[in-house]
Amino acid sequence: MLERIHREQEDTHTRLKELECHFNELEAIILRGKQQAVCEDEESNKPGRNSVDLQICCVSCGQAISVHVALRHMERCFAKYECKSTFGSLYPTCIEGATRLFCDVYNPQSKRYCKRLQVLCPEHSKDPKVPEDEVCGCPLMQNVFESTGDFCRLPKRLCNLHYCWEKLRRAEVDLERVRALHKLEELMEQEQKVCTAMMNRAGLLALMLHQTIQHDPLTSDLRSKVDN
């Protein structure tokens, strides 16, 4: 069991290092996207601008909204309902080498530290106002997962297709990092339990407290001596 736990710990540490590299790569991609120039031609060729105005119901409030602004409405509506619930802890998060995980804003009324993801906390991290000349900068994909190397160059305030893409991408990476850290914590607890059991299995108190019970009367008692 200890060997299995140690193997899983090594795999989780490797996974955590890969996620930290992915974290840095994502920040570099976001920086490259922000350096792109706004293209007005793409704005005129924006998909769905001249299409039929279809309606869809919001998953949070149930209101009928246009599909063109559905992402914006659902994001803001979800944030409004999310602020009504709290996720707190008595202690702040202290993880060595971790960057931007939990919100950790202290609430003096509840005397708790906020434990939402920092990038997704609607209560303590408001979205900044988007300038008119800021580009969307979302990496464009083909066949769902294949990167084309190009970026969306629509004005960010007008791009409904990639609304809050930076926040969602960062939250996806941060959530995987939190899961890896929770996995390491669980493996550490399992290791401590196994080590404690190994230290106590040959103790005098445990040997004196052992007892054998014969539940089946038809089965011979294994403690009896064999008759010659």
Side-chain angles (χ1 to χ4, degrees), residues 109-123:
Q109 295 180 352
S110 62
K111 298 181 180 180
R112 297 289 191 275
Y113 292 89
C114 179
K115 291 305 173 183
R116 293 189 183 96
L117 287 179
Q118 183 178 356
V119 293
L120 287 182
C121 183
E123 188 176 359

Side-chain angles (χ1 to χ4, degrees), residues 199-226:
M199 292 176 59
N200 296 334
R201 63 184 178 184
L204 179 61
L205 179 62
L207 293 176
M208 294 178 63
L209 292 176
H210 284 176
Q211 182 180 5
T212 303
I213 300 176
Q214 184 179 359
H215 296 282
D216 188 1
L218 301 180
T219 304
S220 58
D221 189 356
L222 299 178
R223 297 171 297 175
S224 60
K225 297 181 179 180
V226 179

Side-chain angles (χ1 to χ4, degrees), residues 35-131:
Q35 296 173 351
Q36 304 297 315
V38 177
C39 183
E40 299 295 337
D41 294 338
E42 291 190 12
E43 183 179 354
S44 61
N45 297 327
K46 187 175 180 180
R49 183 175 292 272
N50 300 322
S51 61
V52 181
D53 189 13
L54 300 177
Q55 298 288 322
I56 189 173
C57 292
C58 175
V59 295
S60 298
C61 66
Q63 180 181 354
I65 53 177
S66 173
V67 293
H68 299 155
V69 295
L71 290 178
R72 291 180 181 271
H73 174 87
M74 290 183 183
E75 183 69 23
R76 294 172 181 172
C77 195
F78 175 77
K80 181 177 64 175
Y81 285 98
E82 183 73 8
C83 288
K84 297 180 180 180
S85 59
T86 58
F87 301 90
S89 174
L90 291 173
Y91 306 101
T93 304
C94 184
I95 302 176
E96 184 178 356
T99 307
R100 195 200 66 205
L101 276 179
F102 297 103
C103 177
D104 273 338
V105 173
Y106 182 72
N107 187 349
Q109 295 180 352
S110 62
K111 298 181 180 180
R112 297 289 191 275
Y113 292 89
C114 179
K115 291 305 173 183
R116 293 189 183 96
L117 287 179
Q118 183 178 356
V119 293
L120 287 182
C121 183
E123 188 176 359
H124 304 116
S125 60
K126 304 296 183 181
D127 295 332
K129 186 177 180 180
V130 179

Side-chain angles (χ1 to χ4, degrees), residues 22-40:
H22 192 188
F23 168 83
N24 296 325
E25 292 174 358
L26 178 60
E27 294 300 321
I29 291 175
I30 293 176
L31 182 60
R32 285 178 54 197
K34 290 184 178 296
Q35 296 173 351
Q36 304 297 315
V38 177
C39 183
E40 299 295 337

